[in-house]
Each structure stands twice: as C-alpha cells, then as structure tokens.
C-alpha cells in the first residue's frame, strides 16, 4: 500500500505483471529521458497485482489481450535519464509547500480541459515502439495536468520517467516490486515502466494508456498532499489500513478516467474501445486473496465515473460508502 519509504505494487488495472522469472533480473535501464509527446498503441489486460513493502513505489499489473476501442460512448462522457539526485524536491516536499488546502483546491478545480493527444502505434513496421508510445502518453499527461494545476493555483512538478527493457534487482533505491510492470516511486516522484510484457506488447486496446494515466494519478495525489493525508490516516487507523489503501488506488483509477475523458475527442477510438478497457479494468479487480485495489466492479465504476465527469471532483473516494471501495 502507500506507506512512506516503501514500494507499492498496484493491481490489475494499472500495472502489468512481469513475465515469469523476470523479477530480479539485473539490467541497465533503457536510457531514460523526460516524458515526450507521443501517441498510444496496442495494449492488453492486467494479470495481477502485488504489494511489496520497501520504498515508495506503486506498481500495477494487467491481464493479456485487450480489445481495441473506437469514439466516445454515451453522454458526459528516477528522473529522466538518471536516478533521482539527492536534494531534489520530491512530490511530498511539494505537497508541503502547497499547504493543507491543496486537496480541496484540486476538488474545486473544475473539469480537465479538453486537449489533443495523438496515440501512436505500439508497433511500426514490425518494430516495437513501446517506449515512443509511453513517452508520447506521459507528455500528454504532463501537459494536461500541469495546465490544470496552473489554473487551480497549485504548484506542479513533472515526474521523472524511467524505462527498462527488463526489471532490475533494485529501482528507486528499493527492490523491484514483484510482478510489477509499471509503478510510481512516491518518494522520488518517479514513474517506472517496463517496455516488455503482456501489459504493453502487441496490444491494440487502451490498457497501456489507462495504466500510464493511473500511475500519473498517483503523482497528482502526491503533488496535492493527498498521499500525505492518506499516510497520516493509516498511521492513526491501523484497523482500516486495507480499506484506506483501496480508496487511494481507486482514486487513481478515477483520475485516469478523468484524463482519458479529457482527450477522448482526439483519440481515434470508438465506444467499443472504451467498453473494452472498462472490462479489462474490471478483470483486474481484487480476488479473495488480494484486497489492494478494489473489486473489479468498483475499479470499473471509478474509472467510468472519472471519464464521465472529466473532473477530479468526481474522484473523492475518501467519502464514498465502504461498498464502493471494497
């Protein structure tokens, strides 16, 4: 879950599970660079999620094989190229400067402005372009959220983005989260993406985009102080530790829906594509043994809620009934 100085592996709707035996493989990260504008491409559903207590990392997993969606359905619808350097103000420090009112200001900030986000192919001429795809999507996320923060009068700092061809033994100063293909290092404000695996290779659906938007949602939570408040509540209420963690994860699902809704008009996707990513998200819900991200029905509910409202105000999972965050 989200605990200071530890790694969080998120569930099916956000990250993707690594191929069997991949975890722990020591490899040099693909030269990392700051997020750049590029489109989206094929994706598949998440497989599983695992939480590993070590440093602040939030990871997700996705099941293989997702569909490709087409136009918007229904109404309303560490560090680039290097590891974070010591002394770099992380999102928690930024949240402190933003002040305790930041979460409320985000809630009152209105709709995320409609923007264009070109979704590039994940494969071009039989050559995988997963990195280019993710660079393009993270750039779109940066433009949308930075502009939204500016309008709301909130301080913004873009996250560091790192790419790996294979998982390393350690990342962000901690062990690579088990079975994680995408995650967020909270203390270093870093998004980490594995460029291989079922979650992104040979996909034609919106799942990879949804995963990237979910992880970026965790960055938004850190920048606005939501994560800080979440950690404080966990320390004060151990009995509801698991439920609080699900509220945190489901809010990131909702924020991913807000972003997708804001760029939907520019995506060459159909209602079937949207329905497909919703079902993929539903399939990545918690099972009887894992209760970290919420049941499939609730993950789908919060994703659709954000997509329809296109506003962070719709993502207040902290006041939702327990049945909506189970």
């Amino acid at each position: 879950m989200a605990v200071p100085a530890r790694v969080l592996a998120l569930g099916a709707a956000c990250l993707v599970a690594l191929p069997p035996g991949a975890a722990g493989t020591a490899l040099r990260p693909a030269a990392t660079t700051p997020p750049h504008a590029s489109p989206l491409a094929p994706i598949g559903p998440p497989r599983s999620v695992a939480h590993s207590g070590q440093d602040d990392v939030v990871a997700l997993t996705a099941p293989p094989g997702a569909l490709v969606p087409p136009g918007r359905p229904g109404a309303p619808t560490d560090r680039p190229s290097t590891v974070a350097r010591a002394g770099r103000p992380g999102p928690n420090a930024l949240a402190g400067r933003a002040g305790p009112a930041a979460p409320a200001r985000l809630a009152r900030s209105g709709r995320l402005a409609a923007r264009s986000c070109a979704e590039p192919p994940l494969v071009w001429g039989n050559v995988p372009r997963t990195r280019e795809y993710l660079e393009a999507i993270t750039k779109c996320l940066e433009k949308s959220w930075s502009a939204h923060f500016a309008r709301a009068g909130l301080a913004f700092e873009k996250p560091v983005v790192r790419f790996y061809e294979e998982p390393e033994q350690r990342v962000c100063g901690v062990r690579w989260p088990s079975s994680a293909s995408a995650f967020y290092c909270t203390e270093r404000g870093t998004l980490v993406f594995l460029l291989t695996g079922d979650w992104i290779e040979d996909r034609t659906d919106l799942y990879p985009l949804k995963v990237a938007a979910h992880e970026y949602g965790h960055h938004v939570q850190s920048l606005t102080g939501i994560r800080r408040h979440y950690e404080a509540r966990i320390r004060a209420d151990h009995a509801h530790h698991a439920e609080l963690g699900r509220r945190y994860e489901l809010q990131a699902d909702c924020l991913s829906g807000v972003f997708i809704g804001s760029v939907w008009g520019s995506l060459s996707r159909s209602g079937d594509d949207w329905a497909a990513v919703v079902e993929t998200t539903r399939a990545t819900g918690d099972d009887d043994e894992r209760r970290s991200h919420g049941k499939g029905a609730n993950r789908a509910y919060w994703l659709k809620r954000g997509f329809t409202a296109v506003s962070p105000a719709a993502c207040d999972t902290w006041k939702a009934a327990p049945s909506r965050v189970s």
Side-chain angles (χ1 to χ4, degrees), residues 148-170:
H148 192 75
F149 271 51
R151 289 196 302 275
L154 294 168
F156 179 84
E157 180 178 343
K158 66 181 182 181
V160 168
V161 183
R162 299 183 66 186
F163 304 98
Y164 291 80
E165 293 292 343
E166 291 187 35
E168 289 199 340
Q169 291 183 336
R170 297 180 70 78

Side-chain angles (χ1 to χ4, degrees), residues 31-49:
T32 52
T33 59
H36 294 299
S38 37
L40 305 171
I43 311 162
R47 296 183 226 175
S48 62
V49 176

Side-chain angles (χ1 to χ4, degrees), residues 19 33 96 103 121 158 198 250 260-261 324:
T33 59
K158 66 181 182 181
D198 292 340
L250 289 168
I260 296 173
R324 275 301 179 197

